[in-house]
């Protein structure tokens, strides 16, 4: 995260990735979910999660799993499988194209899982389901 000072009233924050922004913005939620004795799954199409960010957020790095290089077409089914396994306290997925059919699939899987699913758009606008 880079912080630029343009004036005393204006401060611009530039995040290195959508995952870093999510860790910063959702820190209280993630820390509360961190207390569960379950995995914390992060999914993306490229490496985007740094251990230093996990440490800064106060998460247990022993429970954080980051699967990267997932193709978008495999991402929905991977999320569904992880939700159905009920072994994660939360799942964060970086996803760009979510059509209505896939959104319905994920909503059904979330309802049956008791797992929090955070979907992050790669242009740094986040979406929370459940």
């Amino acid at each position: 995260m880079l912080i630029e000072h343009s004036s005393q009233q204006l401060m611009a924050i530039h995040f290195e990735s959508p995952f870093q922004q999510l860790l910063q913005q959702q820190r209280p939620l993630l820390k509360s979910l961190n207390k569960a004795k379950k995995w914390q799954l992060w999914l993306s199409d490229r490496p985007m999660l740094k251990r230093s960010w996990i440490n800064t957020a106060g998460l247990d790095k022993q429970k954080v799993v980051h699967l990267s290089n997932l193709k978008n077409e495999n991402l929905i089914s991977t999320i569904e499988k992880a939700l159905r396994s009920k072994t994660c306290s939360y799942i964060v997925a970086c996803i760009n194209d979510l059509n209505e059919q896939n959104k319905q699939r994920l909503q059904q899987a979330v309802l049956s899982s008791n797992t929090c699913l955070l979907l992050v758009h790669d242009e740094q606008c986040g979406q929370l389901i459940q």
Side-chain angles (χ1 to χ4, degrees):
M1 172 173 48
L2 299 172
I3 300 176
E4 296 176 4
H5 297 279
S6 327
S7 73
Q8 291 197 357
Q9 289 93 11
L10 178 64
M11 180 171 51
I13 300 173
H14 301 282
F15 296 98
E16 293 178 45
S17 86
F19 281 176
Q20 184 187 21
Q21 182 179 10
L22 180 82
L23 276 167
Q24 186 70 24
Q25 292 175 342
Q26 301 296 330
R27 184 181 298 185
L29 172 65
L30 296 176
K31 283 185 83 167
S32 71
L33 294 169
N34 183 57
K35 294 175 185 173
K37 295 185 178 187
K38 293 183 175 185
W39 296 105
Q40 301 163 38
L41 184 58
W42 295 72
L43 306 167
S44 64
D45 60 350
R46 62 187 184 276
M48 295 177 62
L49 186 63
K50 294 184 179 180
R51 291 289 178 186
S52 60
W53 301 342
I54 295 168
N55 291 337
T56 301
L59 302 179
D60 183 351
K61 64 184 175 188
Q62 302 296 324
K63 293 191 278 184
V64 173
V65 176
H66 180 207
L67 300 178
S68 58
N69 302 318
L70 291 171
K71 301 290 182 220
N72 204 40
E73 57 271 9
N74 296 330
L75 193 54
I76 300 298
S77 61
T78 302
I79 295 169
E80 281 182 308
K81 289 175 187 174
L83 288 168
R84 288 197 179 110
S85 74
K86 299 181 182 182
T87 58
C88 299
S89 57
Y90 66 85
I91 299 169
V92 177
C94 192
I95 189 164
N96 291 324
D97 300 314
L98 188 61
N99 63 33
E100 197 58 39
Q101 178 185 6
N102 287 338
K103 187 176 181 179
Q104 292 293 325
R105 287 173 57 189
L106 292 179
Q107 286 176 334
Q108 291 292 356
V110 165
L111 290 173
S112 66
S113 72
N114 197 24
T115 300
C116 185
L117 173 62
L118 294 110
L119 300 179
V120 181
H121 191 274
D122 206 358
E123 293 175 355
Q124 297 190 352
C125 65
Q127 186 176 37
L128 175 66
I129 295 181
Q130 186 183 0

